[in-house]
């Protein structure tokens, strides 16, 4: 994909599911690390973006595995790479972008936040309750159905991750031109 983008006479068009979305910024991070020029085509969600990708109106896109996988299984889309730092257990034959672009990692994550002055016992209880849900069979079945590969972490890991993620994504936001409305 990088070679094709560098060889193309005009920038390849890529789709995202919205300006400033995770898919937009993940592609901007990819574009910056690869040293290529791409044209951003924002959509209002994954469905219209995937329709145009399948129809050939855009050349590439990043999307969640759960929404793209039915098209990959049907043969209407090809999974080229995953954005996580390592190959995804749900797609072991698909390489990670990091195998080509060292240090690339655009793994979506979710955190639970509360008031800055919440008492430690309350935070500990909340973390234990959340861990119980995340370790439960219903949650694991739902995530498997959606092709998600969760990596539950504790509060300390979230704090360490934020210290790395915020500066990295700040640069992708700047490069994207996205602004708060």
């Amino acid at each position: 994909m990088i070679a094709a983008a560098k060889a193309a006479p005009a920038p390849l068009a890529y789709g995202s599911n919205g300006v400033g979305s995770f898919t937009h910024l993940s592609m901007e991070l990819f574009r910056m690390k690869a040293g290529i020029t791409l044209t951003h085509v924002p959509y209002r969600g994954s469905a219209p973006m995937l329709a145009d990708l399948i129809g050939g109106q855009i050349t590439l896109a990043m999307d969640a595995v759960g929404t793209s996988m039915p098209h990959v299984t049907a043969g209407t889309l090809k999974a080229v790479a995953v954005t996580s730092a390592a190959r995804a257990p749900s797609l072991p034959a698909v390489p990670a972008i990091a195998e080509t672009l060292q240090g690339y990692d655009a793994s979506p994550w979710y955190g639970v936040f509360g008031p800055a002055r919440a008492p430690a016992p309350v935070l500990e209880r909340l973390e234990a309750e959340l861990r119980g849900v995340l370790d439960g069979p219903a949650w694991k079945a739902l995530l498997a159905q959606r092709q998600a590969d969760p990596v539950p972490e504790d509060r300390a890991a979230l704090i360490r991750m934020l210290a790395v993620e915020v500066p990295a994504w700040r640069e992708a936001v700047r490069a994207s031109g996205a602004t708060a409305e």
Side-chain angles (χ1 to χ4, degrees), residues 28-84:
E28 284 298 316
L29 187 61
F30 170 74
R31 184 194 61 71
M32 290 180 340
K33 285 195 172 284
I36 58 177
T37 302
L38 300 170
T39 298
H40 178 222
V41 181
Y43 289 84
R44 291 182 177 219
S46 291
M49 176 190 69
L50 292 174
D52 276 4
L53 182 60
I54 292 166
Q57 286 80 18
I58 56 174
T59 307
L60 63 150
M62 287 186 182
D63 195 33
V65 173
T67 52
S68 297
M69 191 57 116
H71 302 289
V72 172
T73 303
T76 55
L77 287 180
K78 179 178 180 173
V80 176
V82 296
T83 62
S84 51

Side-chain angles (χ1 to χ4, degrees), residues 22 25-26 29 32-33 83-85 103-111 113 153 156-174:
F22 184 74
L25 298 178
S26 297
L29 187 61
M32 290 180 340
K33 285 195 172 284
T83 62
S84 51
Y104 182 92
D105 183 9
S107 300
W109 56 269
Y110 298 90
F113 298 87
E153 298 281 2
L158 177 61
I159 291 166
R160 287 190 304 274
M161 184 194 67
L162 288 171
V164 173
E165 294 278 314
V166 169
W169 288 105
R170 183 177 292 125
E171 187 55 35
V173 169
R174 276 194 200 116

